[in-house]
């Protein structure tokens, strides 16, 4: 998942474009201290573990066989389908996320506080629940169109959150100067505001793209073949894991390219304010005759992303009967889900902290490699990450096989980018001069981290942990494979019931999942109002 990242939940202040680079976020020529470098390297190696598995599996039958799989026409078709879906979903998410952020932060939109909270609510809706809602209402929607709609409506908050944070932190003076020169709201937005939002929007767009590449639930229900569905089918169709591993390698390369492009668009500009004093809030732009269309736009998005899946679940709950309800089992499954998600969020946040701090405060090849390594597992299908951990456990840590810690580790590999982005965004908003002062007073790097960096970044890191908690609760394929025998989460129980066509029996688990995920999602939205 970021100033450039979706969880710029710490509302990073965006440095004016003409501010001196010396006040920026990156320190040239200074190596990260060992207290950060060592744990960051361990986190990176942990995230790269699935790649080791892929290297072993994809080359088991020789480089020639793997090359034939990659060069196959079917692989090119899957890549084209995945890229096409990603382009459409990212474009639509940018449109929805940026427009909602601008309306709720920069304009006199009636009920802006409520709309801001509602805009984050889709984070609580798993992609497979959204797909199920739309497919049950419009059976002919399956395929590309249905997949694009479902994925867009659950992923646009990954753009909305960082863009909102950037708007709240940006100095409104440049926009006011533009309006004083006679430029209208639209021209001011396009020529002044939008360029300031580019790093935040680009980071959110990368996470949306990675989300699309790694999604399994929505495309499976919509019966649209992408890389993830192709890999899953390959795993299920044969005991030979080489073709699926080779396909996964293509996804990893795509991830590296996306992250590298986003890092280049981010540039080296700092994001912390260089002036003193409290940031001056922007004067809301009157909407005038655009007030009704703006409200209609917000209402339409909320209806499609939130009300539609809730109404569908309400219908299936209503048509169900006592035979489909098991309150005791539902409570037990919900408790298990909360516990596993909390453990996953805690481990992920702990691993992400040193990587995020290095990414925010240091430049150079080491910092870039550490950050890019953290993204490695995010574009891999959950089933690939799960099988890599099974491979590792069976060969080197057999006591962990089919035990809860292995599932928690899978969550950390899959969602490390979300927590890294939150940490980086939170550190970016705190002026680095405060850390320099602490070092000049004789504080060791560990004390600077503990007493200055972490306390200042704590709100943003906590928001990132909350978002990680949400996505851990919704994770499906890795949970299906790695959960201990006899253990169910809300996601796996929902998937089981849906797979047998028992929609009424699945509805209580889907409703509980959305309700539990909505709580941290609501807090994330409220945090920015």
């Amino acid at each position: 998942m970021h100033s450039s990242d979706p969880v710029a939940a710490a509302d990073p202040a965006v440095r004016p474009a003409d501010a001196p680079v010396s006040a920026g976020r990156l320190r040239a020529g200074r190596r990260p201290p060992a207290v950060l470098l060592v744990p960051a390297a361990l986190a990176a190696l942990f995230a790269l573990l699935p790649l080791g598995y892929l290297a072993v599996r994809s080359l088991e039958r020789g480089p020639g066989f793997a090359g034939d799989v990659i060069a196959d026409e079917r692989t090119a078709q899957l890549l084209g389908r995945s890229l096409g879906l990603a382009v459409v979903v990212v474009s639509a998410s940018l449109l929805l996320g940026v427009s909602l952020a601008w309306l709720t932060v920069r304009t006199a939109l009636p009920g802006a506080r409520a709309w801001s909270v509602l805009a984050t609510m889709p984070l609580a809706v798993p992609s497979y629940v959204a797909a199920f809602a739309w497919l049950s209402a419009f059976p002919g929607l399956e395929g590309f169109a249905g997949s694009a709609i479902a994925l867009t409506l659950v992923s646009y908050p990954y753009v909305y959150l960082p863009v909102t944070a950037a708007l709240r932190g940006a100095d409104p003076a440049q926009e006011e100067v533009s309006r004083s020169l006679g430029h209208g709201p639209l021209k001011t937005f396009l020529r002044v505001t939008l360029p300031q939002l580019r790093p935040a929007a680009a980071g959110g767009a990368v996470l949306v793209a990675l989300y699309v590449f790694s999604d399994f639930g929505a495309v499976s229900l919509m019966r649209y073949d992408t890389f993830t569905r192709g890999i899953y089918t390959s795993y299920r169709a044969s005991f030979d894991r080489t073709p699926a591993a080779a396909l996964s390698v293509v996804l990893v390369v795509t991830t590296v390219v996306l992250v590298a492009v986003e890092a280049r668009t981010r540039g080296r500009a700092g994001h912390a304010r260089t002036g003193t004093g409290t940031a001056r809030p922007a004067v809301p732009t009157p909407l005038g005759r655009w007030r009704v269309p703006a409200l209609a736009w917000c209402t339409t998005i909320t209806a499609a992303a939130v009300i539609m899946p809730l109404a569908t679940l309400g219908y299936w709950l209503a048509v169900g009967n006592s035979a489909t309800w098991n309150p005791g089992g539902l409570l037990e499954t919900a408790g298990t889900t909360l516990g596993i998600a909390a453990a996953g969020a805690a481990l992920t946040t702990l691993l992400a902290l040193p990587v995020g701090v290095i990414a925010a405060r240091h430049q150079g090849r080491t910092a870039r490699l550490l950050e890019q390594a953290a993204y490695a597992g995010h574009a891999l299908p959950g089933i690939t990450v799960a099988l890599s951990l099974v491979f590792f456990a069976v060969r080197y840590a057999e006591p962990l096989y089919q035990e809860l810690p292995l599932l928690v580790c899978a969550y950390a590999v899959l969602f490390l980018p979300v927590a890294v982005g939150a940490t980086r965004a939170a550190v970016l908003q705190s002026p680095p001069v405060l850390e320099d002062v602490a070092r000049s007073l004789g504080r060791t790097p560990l004390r600077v981290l503990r007493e200055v960096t972490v306390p200042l970044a704590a709100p943003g890191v906590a928001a990132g942990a909350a978002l990680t908690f949400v996505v851990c609760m919704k994770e499906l394929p890795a949970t299906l494979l790695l959960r201990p025998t006899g253990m169910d989460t809300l996601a796996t129980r929902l998937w089981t019931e849906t797979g047998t066509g028992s929609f009424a029996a699945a509805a209580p688990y889907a409703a509980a999942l959305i309700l539990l995920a909505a709580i941290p999602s609501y807090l994330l939205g409220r945090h920015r109002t």
Side-chain angles (χ1 to χ4, degrees):
M1 35 157 145
H2 314 331
S3 38
S4 58
D5 293 294
V7 215
D11 294 348
V14 177
R15 182 178 60 86
D18 56 352
V21 174
S22 60
R25 68 178 179 93
L26 299 175
R27 294 191 173 98
R30 177 180 293 173
R31 291 175 57 88
V35 69
L36 288 175
L37 189 58
V38 173
L42 291 176
L45 290 174
F46 182 73
L48 291 172
L49 183 62
L51 297 188
Y53 164 79
L54 292 180
V56 172
R57 283 297 193 189
S58 61
L59 297 177
E60 264 188 337
R61 298 177 60 181
F65 182 83
D68 290 341
V69 173
I70 294 174
D72 188 74
E73 182 180 350
R74 173 65 172 167
T75 303
Q77 184 182 40
L78 290 174
L79 180 60
R81 283 169 164 257
S82 297
L83 287 174
L85 184 61
V87 168
V88 171
V89 173
V90 167
S91 300
S93 296
L94 285 170
L95 174 62
L96 270 59
V98 174
S99 62
L100 283 176
W102 184 73
L103 286 172
T104 55
V105 177
R106 279 290 197 262
T107 71
L109 180 72
R113 186 185 185 93
W115 291 118
S116 182
V117 172
L118 289 171
T120 64
M121 287 294 102
L123 291 173
V125 182
S127 65
Y128 43 88
V129 172
F132 161 69
W134 283 92
L135 197 58
S136 62
F138 305 98
L141 199 60
E142 67 179 23
F144 178 85
S147 300
I149 291 172
L151 289 171
T152 297
L153 293 175
V154 299
S155 59
Y156 80 81
Y158 288 94
V159 174
Y160 171 80
L161 290 175
V163 171
T164 299
L167 280 171
R168 291 189 180 281
D171 192 337
Q174 297 181 47
E175 298 169 49
E176 293 169 359
V177 169
S178 175
R179 286 194 293 270
S180 71
L181 294 175
H183 298 157
L186 180 59
K187 192 172 184 179
T188 297
F189 172 77
L190 294 176
R191 300 188 63 178
V192 179
T193 309
L194 196 57
Q196 296 183 64
L197 303 180
R198 188 183 67 178
V206 166
L207 269 201
V208 171
L210 296 181
Y211 186 95
V212 173
F213 281 131
S214 62
D215 178 76
F216 170 75
V219 295
S220 293
L221 285 178
M222 290 291 180
R223 295 177 176 83
Y224 185 71
D225 285 335
T226 61
F227 257 112
T228 50
R229 195 161 185 244
I231 291 169
Y232 180 78
T233 302
S234 179
Y235 273 126
R236 293 290 299 272
S238 171
F239 287 106
D240 184 4
R241 309 304 189 199
T242 303
L247 292 177
S248 297
V249 169
V250 179
L251 271 184
V252 173
V253 173
T254 306
T255 301
V256 172
V257 171
L258 283 172
V259 175
V261 169
E262 189 273 334
R264 184 171 293 275
T265 62
R266 188 193 317 154
R268 298 185 177 183
H271 293 256
R273 289 184 179 274
T274 56
T276 59
T278 304
R280 178 169 56 86
V283 177
T285 301
L287 288 172
R289 62 177 180 170
W290 293 101
R291 180 176 178 177
V292 173
L295 287 172
W297 177 246
C298 294
T299 302
T300 301
I301 296 173
T302 301
V306 180
I307 297 176
M308 172 65 178
L310 292 180
T312 302
L313 291 179
Y315 167 79
W316 286 111
L317 288 171
V319 301
N321 52 52
S322 58
T324 64
W325 282 85
N326 181 5
L330 180 62
L331 287 175
E332 180 182 356
T333 305
T336 301
T337 302
L338 290 173
I340 298 174
L347 177 61
T348 306
T349 303
L350 184 64
L351 291 172
L353 183 62
V355 180
V357 173
I358 289 176
R361 288 293 189 247
H362 298 273
Q363 73 178 56
R365 181 175 298 177
T366 300
R368 289 195 300 271
L369 288 177
L370 288 173
E371 185 179 8
Q372 291 175 7
Y375 281 79
H378 194 62
L380 290 174
I383 189 171
T384 301
V385 173
L387 286 171
S388 70
L389 292 178
V390 169
F391 176 81
F392 172 80
V394 169
R395 293 203 176 188
Y396 307 108
E398 191 171 350
L400 292 179
Y401 179 64
Q402 288 239 286
E403 296 295 334
L404 197 58
L406 204 61
L407 177 58
V408 173
C409 289
Y411 290 162
V413 173
L414 286 167
F415 305 122
L416 189 59
V418 177
V420 168
T423 301
R424 189 185 71 202
V427 174
L428 283 176
Q429 72 170 340
S430 59
V433 65
L434 299 178
E435 298 163 21
D436 294 336
V437 170
R439 275 188 290 271
S440 71
L441 295 175
R443 299 290 192 273
T444 63
L446 179 60
R447 290 192 65 183
V448 172
L449 179 68
R450 187 177 68 245
E451 298 176 1
V452 180
T453 308
V454 171
L456 288 174
V461 174
L467 185 57
T468 305
F469 176 79
V470 171
V471 294
C472 285
M473 279 202 298
K474 298 189 297 181
E475 204 287 328
L476 176 64
T479 309
L480 285 171
L481 191 60
L482 294 177
R483 56 183 170 148
T485 302
M487 190 203 80
D488 270 318
T489 66
L490 292 171
T492 60
R493 190 66 183 170
L494 167 64
W495 185 260
T496 301
E497 299 291 357
T498 304
T500 60
S502 305
F503 298 133
Y509 296 97
L513 182 59
I514 290 178
L515 178 63
L516 293 176
I519 297 173
S521 299
Y522 167 78
L523 294 176
L524 283 172
R526 189 179 180 186
H527 175 72
R528 344 189 96 51
T529 58

